[in-house]
Amino acid sequence: MSNIIEPAAADIAVTLEILQYTSQLENVVHVKAVSDSIFDITLEGDSWYNGTDTDIAAGIPDISRLRKGDMLEFAGSDASRPLKIGHVEMYYGNGIICGHGSGRPSYKDIVAYCKSRYVSFASGGWRMGLVCVRRYIQDDVAPVPEPIKLSGWNQEPNGWRFYLGNTGEPIRDAWYLDSDGKWYWFNAAGIMVSSTWYEYNGGWYYLGADGAMVMGLQASGGKWYYLDQDGKMATEPVTLTPYQDGALWYP
């Protein structure tokens, strides 16, 4: 269905287009604002809100309105998912989100991850970006400011660590998607791994000298290897096509 509706609430000044009802969530519909951001709203009389009153623009939420524990819900990829939430990440604080899709936590820069989902499309033609932000843990008590702790990248005698939010705790035994759009792996001691092969979930990945997961062609031990767009080493034949200048193009 595609109906144009005007909300009755005076403080909402945009025209919303109903994309489809989400029958699994009571009184919730998917809508699209004229800015092309897609989110859920809940109907209660004449009021409209999307769970946390968090604006979403180009797939990115207003981080200033988020609280630790808020859940970011993303559109799914298969034909059944327009009526369901396909993926969920939790806001960890300080611009970091956390998910457990592989059974092991991975941490991501919220802007980089939301951008990557927003520009990705499912086979059905819809964006796989952020649908809404929901706050399942309500807190009516004014938050007490936390003491400042280590946060972000920090170079130490044993190597680089990345500290989560304002916790003072480094990422351990997990992947991290940084604001530069690159993935990094941290070992059990919380040290960034670099210049080595790493086996993960049955696949081999190469972490470069800067610690970033390598994609494309990589030389190692006098041999060349191809790592796909997910960083996984190819074990099947790959066709490399030369450009006119001799440079190789790979899938």
Side-chain angles (χ1 to χ4, degrees), residues 176-184 210 212-213:
Y176 169 62
L177 175 65
D178 199 16
S179 57
D180 60 5
K182 299 178 181 179
W183 286 94
Y184 299 83
D210 62 353
M213 182 183 71

Side-chain angles (χ1 to χ4, degrees), residues 96-244:
I96 304 296
I97 54 178
C98 177
H100 296 76
S102 64
R104 177 179 288 175
S106 62
Y107 301 90
K108 310 148 186 95
D109 178 86
I110 187 172
V111 174
Y113 185 75
C114 287
K115 279 183 178 179
S116 69
R117 298 273 313 196
Y118 184 73
V119 298
S120 300
F121 290 82
S123 58
W126 61 86
R127 291 186 187 274
M128 291 164 55
L130 182 62
V131 175
C132 66
V133 179
R134 295 198 175 277
R135 181 165 296 155
Y136 295 97
I137 303 174
Q138 300 298 324
D139 185 5
D140 297 326
V141 179
V144 178
E146 298 182 30
I148 297 176
K149 302 174 185 176
L150 283 175
S151 181
W153 289 100
N154 194 57
Q155 188 172 23
E156 301 177 9
N158 293 330
W160 284 93
R161 282 191 168 103
F162 189 92
Y163 288 87
L164 291 167
N166 193 34
T167 65
E169 290 294 324
I171 295 175
R172 300 176 188 271
D173 203 24
W175 291 100
Y176 169 62
L177 175 65
D178 199 16
S179 57
D180 60 5
K182 299 178 181 179
W183 286 94
Y184 299 83
W185 174 258
F186 295 83
N187 63 22
I191 301 298
M192 181 190 76
V193 177
S194 61
S195 301
T196 188
W197 288 97
Y198 176 72
E199 186 178 14
Y200 176 74
N201 280 356
W204 283 94
Y205 300 79
Y206 191 83
L207 303 163
D210 62 353
M213 182 183 71
V214 174
M215 293 180 286
L217 294 174
Q218 174 64 39
S220 177
K223 299 179 181 179
W224 285 94
Y225 298 85
Y226 171 69
L227 301 119
D228 65 19
Q229 296 304 305
D230 294 321
K232 186 176 181 180
M233 184 187 73
T235 56
E236 299 293 332
V238 175
T239 301
L240 304 178
T241 305
Y243 277 130
Q244 291 181 351

